[in-house]
Amino acid sequence: MADWLLEAAKAYNRDSYDQRDRYATHLLIPLETMRTVIRWSMESIPDEVLIGFDPNPERPNPDPVEEVFGPPQSTFSGSGFLLGEPHIVNVGDSYSVHHVPEEWTDGVFSEERGARGSRFASFLHSHPNAYAHPSQADAEAADWTEGVEMILGVRFSPAPLGLEWYDQEDGHRRDLKPEKDEELPVLARVAGRKVHGFELIGYLRNGEGVNLLITSPEGFPIGLDL
């Protein structure tokens, strides 16, 4: 997976650079964190996986990145720092995945902080065989996210009945895959399934899009000479 993901990160970052003027803020994601997120998402198919993050206080965004992509017009919890280590919060269907496990909360904070209990600053959840675009449930969950809400769309085959690839043309699309002519490349294989592509987006609870960049451990976007 490492080779294709490295090439996909370069292509994704070039797109992030080209579209930088349309975003009010940005978030840096280390490559190894992205690799872990993708692996967990594939291993959870056909369920969705919810992953939580806090910012890494020891890794501020490098100055050259801030000069090119900032300063941000909108800030969030963790703004100005690399995304920290990923943590699996929940695995389940699209109706239940946004809730934290019962042993994490007794419901005391549900009204104040939502079903997630705001345990982490930022969250990512997968969309098995569906493009990366927030549903109504996603938007409601994001109301309680103080950092960045992210969606990873995962296209795979063969699909269980009722989970065929779901697509929709409207909305802003961000592919996370190498620049190849193949319409359906096979990027990885897991549990007898072929994974053909990914989409990755980020947004704030006010609906603003977040420009995501996949970086080295030090925070420099892969494939960009800043």
Side-chain angles (χ1 to χ4, degrees), residues 26-76:
H26 53 275
L27 175 67
L28 309 188
I29 308 173
L31 178 67
E32 293 307 312
T33 297
M34 198 70 244
R35 180 176 290 118
T36 299
V37 166
I38 287 174
R39 176 168 56 84
W40 288 346
S41 298
M42 292 193 302
E43 292 173 349
S44 300
I45 289 172
D47 286 329
E48 295 185 10
V49 61
L50 178 66
I51 300 170
F53 312 83
D54 282 321
N56 186 341
E58 297 180 358
R59 292 290 184 188
N61 293 352
D63 289 340
V65 177
E66 293 296 283
E67 292 171 3
V68 173
F69 290 92
Q73 301 170 28
S74 296
T75 58
F76 52 87

Side-chain angles (χ1 to χ4, degrees), residues 161-180:
L161 185 64
L163 199 62
E164 296 81 7
W165 171 247
Y166 175 75
D167 203 346
Q168 191 169 323
E169 292 302 323
D170 63 342
H172 186 47
R173 308 285 290 269
R174 294 293 310 274
D175 287 328
L176 178 63
K177 60 182 181 181
E179 293 179 337
K180 294 183 179 180

